[in-house]
Amino acid sequence: RDWSSDVCSSDLTPEGFGAIADRLYGLKPDEFADARDTAVKQARADKQRDLAAALAKLRRPTVSAWVANLLHRGEPELVEEYLDLAAELARATEQADVVGLQRLANSRRNLERSLVRAARRLAEAAGGTVNGATEREVQETLNAALALPDVAADLRAGRLLKPAAYAGFGLAPMVVVPSPPTAEARPAPAASTQEIGRAHV
């Protein structure tokens, strides 16, 4: 595909950076570098040096990051519904609302499954292949997005560069749970004894 043919001169302005980046991160990873370089050259030709410099800093996403990024375009409302659980889970944990935590844990599992299925569908429609390892990385990234604001922001923007994972102890949404999706959610420990692990992104 000739991505440069899709770019209008009006896009090559500081205001158009977001639109160009959005297009780039919608491409399959093996198409990214050539398309980015084309955009950089066009920006330089139009004497938009700041834009060219910003575009040149964009990095190619991994396959699983690309798959997760497709959710920004294909299922934005579902992504928002999922990410909204972070605040609700934190509130329920603070209030020691066990019933609320169980309800939210079920919602989390259901939304997570829906997002992973949607990501697979969108990737296959775009000509990509999603294997089991890619699905696991997408799921781990979704888990990390509930705990880490930076990951959530990149997921919302569709600009993840690589999969993210969170390993730690504490609030239910802040743990990448190794058990199967159907397993019972365990109650979170009391806030006074929480130990939050470092994020590995």
Side-chain angles (χ1 to χ4, degrees):
R1 173 185 169 184
D2 181 8
W3 180 84
S4 61
S5 65
D6 292 341
V7 181
C8 300
S9 59
S10 60
D11 287 329
L12 297 171
T13 64
E15 292 76 19
F17 171 80
I20 297 171
D22 196 50
R23 285 199 189 109
L24 288 171
Y25 284 106
L27 297 174
K28 290 191 291 184
D30 59 1
E31 299 173 342
F32 182 90
D34 287 344
R36 177 202 58 207
D37 292 347
T38 296
V40 170
K41 289 177 182 177
Q42 184 62 59
R44 286 173 179 162
D46 286 358
K47 302 187 186 304
Q48 298 286 342
R49 294 180 181 178
D50 290 344
L51 177 61
L55 291 172
K57 292 178 181 178
L58 297 178
R59 295 293 174 259
R60 181 179 68 180
T62 65
V63 172
S64 62
W66 169 69
V67 173
N69 285 338
L70 293 175
L71 293 169
H72 155 72
R73 298 160 185 82
E75 294 288 349
E77 293 181 1
L78 195 60
V79 169
E80 285 302 321
E81 186 178 356
Y82 178 76
L83 293 177
D84 284 346
L85 290 177
E88 295 183 54
L89 280 159
R91 214 163 26 241
T93 300
E94 184 180 353
Q95 297 171 0
D97 182 359
V98 175
V99 174
L101 283 170
Q102 291 175 341
R103 175 181 58 80
L104 290 168
N106 289 332
S107 296
R108 173 188 175 179
R109 283 194 294 269
N110 291 335
L111 285 169
E112 192 174 90
R113 290 192 197 107
S114 295
L115 284 166
V116 171
R117 285 196 299 266
R120 173 184 279 276
R121 171 177 51 79
L122 291 166
E124 291 175 348
T129 301
V130 181
N131 57 29
T134 299
E135 272 199 1
R136 283 192 296 275
E137 289 185 346
V138 170
Q139 183 178 7
E140 289 180 352
T141 299
L142 291 171
N143 272 279
L146 285 182
L148 307 170
D150 287 349
V151 177
D154 285 343
L155 180 64
R156 280 190 172 101
R159 297 185 192 176
L160 290 161
L161 296 180
K162 58 186 177 180
Y166 185 89
F169 302 93
L171 296 175
M174 302 181 78
V175 180
V176 176
V177 183
S179 57
T182 55
E184 288 288 327
R186 295 182 178 181
S192 60
T193 61
Q194 290 176 4
E195 294 181 3
I196 306 301
R198 291 176 63 87
H200 303 288
V201 181

